[in-house]
Amino acid sequence: MKTALEDSAPITAKRTMSLRANVIWTFGGTLIYALAQWAMLASISKLGTPYMVGQFALGLAISAPVYMFTNMQLRVLQATDAKGDFSFPDYFGLRVLASAAGLAFLLLLVLINGIPQQTKLVVMAIGAAKCLESLSDAIYGLCQKHERMKFISISLSVKGIGSVAALVVVLRLTHNIFLGSCAIAAWWLLLLLTVDLRWAVQLVDLEPPHPKRWLPHFDRKTLARLSLLAFPMGIQTMLASLAISIPRFVVNHDLGTAMLGKFAAMAYFIVVGQTVITAVGNSVQAPLSRWWYSSLPVFRRLLIKCGAFAFCVGLAATIVAAVAGKTILTAFYSPEYATQQSVFILLMFSSGFYYISAILGGGVAVVRLFWTYTLLYSIVPLMALLAAWLLVPRIGMMGAAVATLAYCIASAAVPVAVITTAYRRQARVRAVCPVAREAT
């Protein structure tokens, strides 16, 4: 007997969308979702208080590193699993177990933390929402594998717009950020059950037959092999998320939750530029992989162009912040945010290096030096901690902005070092054996 989900019409293996169409859909959906996330912070600042913004930002800062690790970039692994080493039920099964473990760890972490009780509830609600989001992300990997970026874009758009609507309605009615966070989690659960899972049920018909079809598969040997493959990627993404969160933790500890709310609201403008970087990075990853095996000089030129483009996006954001920062902060938040324009300018300058790190991450995936990348990346959160610990008590939020700049520069330098090492090694191999096409 078919379930309600399985009654949906099947998807045929017709010709996939063009690269340009996939880029446009990816950019559109990511942009709408990023704007929606910013709109949630703006809504809290307008309908609530800076303290409530800080509570919400703290929930994101605590939960992000946990789920960055438990996600282990399984979406990327699934999307690039051209040989079919693992099935969707395998990826989905590992994601279910890892996300459940992440939620349990997050709840334990919150319970033993000394933050106020109301803030604990907010962090728990956001943690539950992020757990649901990670399950949808596994389905996005299946969509990406079969080049149905339109499905991901629609899901992200509906998720973002619905989240803002649910949050605004609940805040207007209750003025309670905990209930607002619960409303977001409820909307994400509804979307997972009614939209994302329905697409998974249809797309598995394009996969090799599996007894579990779209349900999670919990074979211990298979999960062990998949976990071993994904483990270094999980560590690296956790370190990256931790580096972002560390200055915010220090601001919350030394300056208070209200100041954290202001800092997080200004820093969130970085995410807007990230939508452009994500769309471009996803679109050039396949050409980069192709040129890595066929023409190293072309690979290098394309990667340099990508890095330069990423920095120019950050530079443009810096100029806008310098010219119209006070107006932007006043219009989108409130006049008290505009008093921190110098912090805003430095954060936007940091974004250029952050974008370089993001777009060069695709190059690291091509050269396949995951463990080297992860080991070197461990210095990034340490640099963030040292800079924030030294500077925030002395110069306040400007110290947190300097710490952000420091770790962004370090995070950009690491992939440059890894790719350069792999490039030189591969060039030596080609010099000895010109027909070599295997990355060392």
Side-chain angles (χ1 to χ4, degrees), residues 160-171:
I161 295 172
S163 299
V164 175
L167 178 64
V168 169
V169 169
V170 173
L171 282 182

Side-chain angles (χ1 to χ4, degrees), residues 256-333:
T257 305
M259 294 300 286
L260 169 62
K262 294 180 180 180
F263 181 80
M266 289 187 290
Y268 203 81
F269 278 96
I270 296 175
V271 178
V272 177
Q274 179 67 21
T275 59
V276 180
I277 303 303
T278 298
V280 173
N282 288 342
S283 65
V284 302
Q285 191 160 4
L288 280 173
S289 180
R290 182 171 63 252
W291 290 121
W292 172 251
Y293 293 107
S294 60
S295 177
L296 287 179
V298 177
F299 169 84
R300 181 179 60 188
R301 287 197 297 270
L302 181 55
L303 205 58
I304 290 174
K305 289 180 181 179
C306 289
F309 172 78
F311 186 75
C312 287
V313 173
L315 187 61
T318 305
I319 295 173
V320 172
V323 173
K326 289 185 178 180
T327 302
I328 292 172
L329 294 174
T330 300
F332 287 108
Y333 299 120

Side-chain angles (χ1 to χ4, degrees), residues 25-348:
W25 275 106
T26 301
F27 175 75
T30 307
L31 178 62
I32 292 173
Y33 188 61
L35 291 175
Q37 289 181 300
W38 163 82
M40 285 190 281
L41 287 175
S43 299
I44 299 171
S45 69
K46 293 287 188 180
L47 300 175
T49 64
Y51 184 79
M52 292 168 65
V53 178
Q55 287 179 305
F56 192 82
L58 187 62
L60 295 174
I62 292 176
S63 60
V66 175
Y67 287 108
M68 282 292 186
F69 174 69
T70 59
N71 284 352
M72 295 182 285
Q73 292 196 38
L74 288 177
R75 173 178 168 179
V76 176
L77 289 176
Q78 182 180 186
T80 57
D81 188 7
K83 295 188 299 182
D85 293 329
F86 300 94
S87 64
F88 171 72
D90 297 326
Y91 288 106
F92 200 31
L94 181 56
R95 177 56 63 84
V96 168
L97 293 178
S99 298
L103 180 59
F105 176 79
L106 182 64
L107 295 179
L108 178 63
L109 187 66
V110 169
L111 290 175
I112 64 176
N113 199 290
I115 58 178
Q117 185 65 30
Q118 180 67 18
T119 303
K120 287 183 179 181
L121 294 175
V122 174
V123 175
M124 289 179 181
I126 294 175
K130 286 294 183 180
C131 181
L132 296 168
E133 183 180 49
S134 70
L135 299 182
S136 291
D137 184 71
I139 299 172
Y140 294 167
L142 181 64
C143 296
Q144 189 171 338
K145 179 179 180 179
H146 295 286
E147 300 184 62
R148 263 63 174 194
M149 307 305 291
K150 178 179 179 180
F151 291 175
I152 302 175
S153 178
I154 293 173
S155 178
L156 288 176
S157 300
V158 174
K159 179 185 293 184
I161 295 172
S163 299
V164 175
L167 178 64
V168 169
V169 169
V170 173
L171 282 182
R172 282 189 177 277
L173 293 176
T174 67
H175 201 68
N176 188 307
I177 187 60
F178 166 64
L179 295 179
S181 301
C182 289
I184 294 172
W187 177 251
W188 290 3
L189 175 61
L190 180 64
L191 189 69
L192 171 65
L193 296 176
T194 60
V195 178
D196 297 336
L197 280 176
R198 184 174 294 273
W199 282 333
V201 169
Q202 298 178 46
L203 284 172
V204 292
D205 289 334
L206 305 182
E207 295 272 290
H210 191 282
K212 290 289 186 178
R213 283 183 49 77
W214 57 274
L215 294 172
H217 185 216
F218 301 112
D219 179 71
R220 286 183 294 179
K221 291 184 178 180
T222 302
L223 293 180
R225 288 193 297 115
L226 182 55
S227 299
L228 185 62
L229 176 66
F231 186 67
M233 302 177 75
I235 295 176
Q236 188 276 323
T237 50
M238 180 190 68
L239 292 174
S241 180
L242 187 61
I244 295 173
S245 299
I246 282 175
R248 304 183 185 198
F249 292 148
V250 178
V251 168
N252 183 67
H253 180 271
D254 291 345
L255 306 180
T257 305
M259 294 300 286
L260 169 62
K262 294 180 180 180
F263 181 80
M266 289 187 290
Y268 203 81
F269 278 96
I270 296 175
V271 178
V272 177
Q274 179 67 21
T275 59
V276 180
I277 303 303
T278 298
V280 173
N282 288 342
S283 65
V284 302
Q285 191 160 4
L288 280 173
S289 180
R290 182 171 63 252
W291 290 121
W292 172 251
Y293 293 107
S294 60
S295 177
L296 287 179
V298 177
F299 169 84
R300 181 179 60 188
R301 287 197 297 270
L302 181 55
L303 205 58
I304 290 174
K305 289 180 181 179
C306 289
F309 172 78
F311 186 75
C312 287
V313 173
L315 187 61
T318 305
I319 295 173
V320 172
V323 173
K326 289 185 178 180
T327 302
I328 292 172
L329 294 174
T330 300
F332 287 108
Y333 299 120
S334 65
E336 60 182 312
Y337 287 79
T339 61
Q340 302 290 339
Q341 184 186 13
S342 57
V343 175
F344 184 46
I345 294 172
L346 190 55
L347 286 173
M348 293 302 99

